[in-house]
Amino acid sequence: MGAKTTREIAEFVCKTDYKDLRSELIDYSKILALSHVGMNIAGSTMDFGRLVTQYVKGKGGHPEVGVFGAGFRTGAEDAALVN
């Protein structure tokens, strides 16, 4: 690709179609997505994960995004922190 600026990266992404992606890349992306879900589940059972979830839930926030496995929604930034 050789992009040097954010604009060039954005243009590349916008011009890229699903059919342009190799099947190996699609398969690897699926593995990464499943790995992410597994890490969310594992992290939610750990002390640190529970503490962060409780902290974010206590803050409240505009219910934009769901917190994985926690049964509540919060702002995008806080959901990203927990998830």
Side-chain angles (χ1 to χ4, degrees), residues 11-82:
E11 288 172 355
F12 172 78
V13 170
C14 289
K15 291 177 184 175
T16 302
D17 192 70
Y18 187 78
K19 68 181 181 330
D20 298 327
L21 303 175
R22 296 188 331 239
S23 63
E24 296 88 5
L25 177 64
I26 294 168
D27 292 342
Y28 186 62
S29 298
K30 290 176 183 179
I31 290 169
L32 290 177
L34 288 172
S35 176
H36 178 73
V37 170
M39 293 306 293
N40 273 341
I41 292 169
S44 70
T45 66
M46 296 178 177
D47 290 339
F48 179 76
R50 284 191 290 268
L51 288 171
V52 172
T53 301
Q54 289 171 2
Y55 168 73
V56 168
K57 189 173 186 177
K59 283 179 63 177
H62 184 69
E64 299 174 293
V65 183
V67 175
F68 189 81
F72 71 95
R73 298 173 71 80
T74 190
E77 294 87 1
D78 287 334
L81 174 66
V82 177

